[in-house]
Amino acid sequence: MDRTLRPRQWLKAVYRPGAPLITQIDDGAVLPEAPVSSDAFTSSISCARVVVTMLRRLEPRPGETLLEIGTGTGYNTALLCHRLGDQAVTSIEVDAGLAATAAHHLKDLGLHPHLVTGDGTEGHAARAPYDHFLPTACVQRVPTARIQQVRAGGRILPLTTPLGTDALLSLTTEAPAAPPAGCSPPSTSCCCAASASVSRGSNWAGPAWPTSTSASTKTNSTSAYHPRRVPLTAL
C-alpha cells in the first residue's frame, strides 16, 4: 500500500492494535518496494498493543533513565523520549543503516536521545547505572552485565521465548548480596554479582515457572503511551 496514494487507508492499517509492522527484510537485501522473496524479517515495529503493554509494565517516569536495545526505526525510542525526556534515553542499534535512519527520523521530530551504533549484548556501561532496561528483541537470557547496569529496584523488561512460547517478563533488580568468602570483588559469574526477581503479567499462557519464582500482576493507565502521540508518518 502506497502511503502517498492512500493516506487514510495506510494510517488505518498501521494503527491496527494487533498489526506488527515489518520494516526490514533480510538485513535490507529486500527493498521496501520489491516483492517479498524472504521471510527473514530483521527489523520491525511491534504491534501497538505490545508496545503499549511493554511500556505499561515498565512504568518509566519523568526523571528516570532508560537503556533501550534495538532502536529500529526509532518509534519506540520516540515514545520513551516523550515520556522521560531526550537526555534520559540511551538506545543501541546494531545495524548501522537502521541506526542512521532512526537518527534522521528522531531529529525530524525534534528529539535527540543518546544513540549508539553497536552490539547491545553487554549493554552500555558508559551511561550506567540506568533506572530501566528495555530490549525490543526476543532473548532467552539476560546477560549479567545488563543487570549490573540497572540500579537496585530498577526494572528490566525482556521479551523471551522459553520453550517456544512468547512471554513478556518484568524483572526487578535487587541490591547485590554480600560476597561470600574468597569473592572480592564480586565477579560476573558469582551469585553476589547481581540478581533479579521476576513478576509475570496476568496474560501469561506459557509453561509454569519454577516454584522459587514469585509472581505478581500490575495494571496501570496506558494514556501516557498512546501510539498516536508520535506519528508513524514521521517514522
Side-chain angles (χ1 to χ4, degrees):
M1 184 184 298
D2 191 325
R3 181 176 66 190
T4 60
L5 298 177
R6 304 174 64 190
R8 290 179 62 85
Q9 293 90 335
W10 185 88
L11 282 171
K12 184 177 180 180
V14 300
Y15 277 113
R16 284 181 298 166
L21 307 176
I22 305 304
T23 55
Q24 187 192 71
I25 300 176
D26 200 10
D27 291 325
V30 178
L31 299 178
E33 63 272 15
V36 177
S37 58
S38 170
D39 61 358
F41 303 144
T42 48
S43 186
S44 67
I45 301 175
S46 298
C47 64
R49 183 183 295 120
V50 170
V51 171
V52 171
T53 298
M54 289 178 70
L55 294 177
R56 283 180 58 206
R57 301 272 179 214
L58 196 66
E59 293 186 286
R61 302 175 186 276
E64 295 179 332
T65 58
L66 180 142
L67 173 62
E68 176 190 41
I69 305 295
T71 313
T73 65
Y75 179 61
N76 197 63
T77 312
L79 293 175
L80 293 168
C81 288
H82 175 78
R83 176 65 167 170
L84 301 175
D86 305 25
Q87 296 307 304
V89 177
T90 301
S91 186
I92 304 176
E93 172 57 54
V94 69
D95 186 303
L98 290 176
T101 301
H104 175 73
H105 291 161
L106 291 163
K107 183 178 179 181
D108 281 351
L109 290 170
L111 301 174
H112 303 279
H114 184 73
L115 301 178
V116 179
T117 301
D119 185 353
T121 301
E122 299 301 314
H124 186 62
R127 303 195 84 200
Y130 305 95
D131 293 296
H132 302 287
F133 167 68
L134 178 63
T136 60
C138 286
V139 297
Q140 293 187 342
R141 59 179 294 273
V142 180
T144 303
R146 292 183 181 180
I147 300 175
Q148 292 174 323
Q149 292 172 22
V150 177
R151 293 186 177 92
R155 190 160 295 170
I156 301 173
L157 200 76
L159 280 165
T160 68
T161 53
L163 304 181
T165 303
D166 290 348
L168 185 63
L169 299 182
S170 176
L171 310 175
T172 302
T173 59
E174 298 174 349
C183 182
S184 180
S187 67
T188 56
S189 61
C190 174
C191 61
C192 64
S195 61
S197 58
V198 181
S199 63
R200 65 181 186 241
S202 58
N203 294 326
W204 169 255
W209 291 99
T211 55
S212 61
T213 300
S214 61
S216 64
T217 301
K218 301 184 73 64
T219 56
N220 301 285
S221 170
T222 64
S223 59
Y225 313 111
H226 197 290
R228 291 187 184 275
R229 292 287 187 92
V230 178
L232 275 169
T233 50
L235 302 174

